[in-house]
Amino acid sequence: AQTVTQSQPEMSVQEAETVTLSCTYDTSESDYYLFWYKQPPSRQMILVIRQEAYKQQNATENRFSVNFQKAAKSFSLKISDSQLGDAAMYFCAYGRGNQFYFGTGTSLTVIP
Amino acid sequence: GAGVSQSPSNKVTEKGKDVELRCDPISGHTALYWYRQRLGQGLEFLIYFQGNSAPDKSGLPSDRFSAERTGESVSTLTIQRTQQEDSAVYLCASSLRRKNTEAFFGQGTRLTVV
């Protein structure tokens, strides 16, 4: 079975600084995709960024970027120029064939 | 609709009562998922519907839990004889049936069993 591990239950970052959230996964498949979701206190899960496993280039969305290491099965999220609105739970997810597997989440605090 | 809609937003029920949670997926999304999220924890898969195929019920924690979906429309998650351990946020998500697509989530139903 696919598993997704987020080893950092909590992280904090100073406003305007950079933070990296870690995620590792376990799979025997070669074709899959990976996601980072953000869940603010409103409970609404919002897609932050997506990476296809067959692409070597790391995905980037404005201040959010990933470091995808396929051989190491690692998929970390880097948030640059952190803002107060970035404070939330962040979930890493693995997807294949319409099935999704989520990590346990990292709670990010942004310090003004 | 514009997004996944769940109702009610919050539900308080007495232990032993049955509850029904509703999910309206995005129009055209053939896949629909239910997850449970206990306080401060991750998402626990419950059930997955894909079009008219038999649902994947492998995540349902007990026979008190059941879910229905008619075609590609509304789904209901029913919890019978609720227990305090059922208290959680129940999230619904939908997606298109194609490769490389993400799941779109509703805002969830917060269930409190007292």
Side-chain angles (χ1 to χ4, degrees):
Chain A
Q2 283 76 17
T3 57
V4 179
T5 302
Q6 293 180 249
S7 59
Q8 306 155 315
E10 298 178 348
M11 291 282 284
S12 61
V13 61
Q14 289 286 143
E15 193 175 3
E17 296 295 310
T18 296
V19 64
T20 299
L21 308 184
S22 301
C23 173
T24 59
Y25 58 95
D26 184 27
T27 184
S28 57
E29 306 293 341
S30 59
D31 184 20
Y32 53 88
Y33 30 106
L34 298 162
F35 309 91
W36 279 97
Y37 280 88
K38 170 185 177 182
Q39 187 183 41
S42 67
R43 301 199 307 247
Q44 180 71 59
M45 293 277 281
I46 303 164
L47 180 69
V48 173
I49 198 164
R50 170 176 58 200
Q51 173 82 42
E52 291 84 5
Y54 67 87
K55 288 188 178 179
Q56 292 187 333
Q57 185 173 7
N58 290 323
T60 300
E61 288 286 344
N62 301 312
R63 298 183 294 107
F64 299 87
S65 61
V66 299
N67 183 4
F68 173 47
Q69 302 289 328
K70 190 170 184 179
K73 298 178 184 175
S74 170
F75 183 60
S76 61
L77 174 70
K78 185 171 83 171
I79 306 174
S80 304
D81 185 25
S82 297
Q83 300 176 359
L84 295 178
D86 295 334
M89 282 288 288
Y90 286 81
F91 291 96
C92 177
Y94 165 103
R96 185 175 186 277
N98 274 140
Q99 278 283 27
F100 299 92
Y101 302 88
F102 289 83
T104 52
T106 297
S107 178
L108 179 66
T109 300
V110 181
I111 303 165
Chain B
V4 178
S5 177
Q6 290 188 246
S7 61
S9 181
N10 292 282
K11 175 73 176 178
V12 180
T13 189
E14 293 181 352
K15 180 180 172 181
K17 300 280 189 184
D18 296 352
V19 294
E20 191 173 277
L21 312 181
R22 177 187 171 104
C23 173
D24 272 285
I26 294 172
S27 178
H29 282 196
T30 57
L32 186 146
Y33 314 80
W34 283 99
Y35 293 90
R36 178 170 69 180
Q37 185 179 25
R38 291 197 165 111
L39 184 64
Q41 298 188 20
L43 276 68
E44 177 186 0
F45 168 74
L46 296 177
I47 189 168
Y48 160 54
F49 295 90
Q50 176 60 275
N52 292 317
S53 302
D56 177 355
K57 302 180 180 181
S58 61
L60 295 178
S62 77
D63 59 8
R64 296 187 296 105
F65 287 72
S66 63
E68 300 286 334
R69 187 187 188 196
T70 304
E72 297 179 1
S73 62
V74 171
S75 175
T76 54
L77 176 69
T78 302
I79 309 173
Q80 295 178 310
R81 306 181 301 283
T82 53
Q83 305 293 315
Q84 288 185 329
E85 68 209 41
D86 299 334
S87 296
V89 172
Y90 290 83
L91 289 165
C92 175
S94 70
S95 72
L96 290 166
R97 183 178 185 164
R98 61 175 172 84
K99 194 175 171 179
N100 193 26
T101 183
E102 69 267 28
F104 294 81
F105 284 83
Q107 287 193 289
T109 295
R110 181 181 298 282
L111 175 66
T112 304
V113 182
V114 298

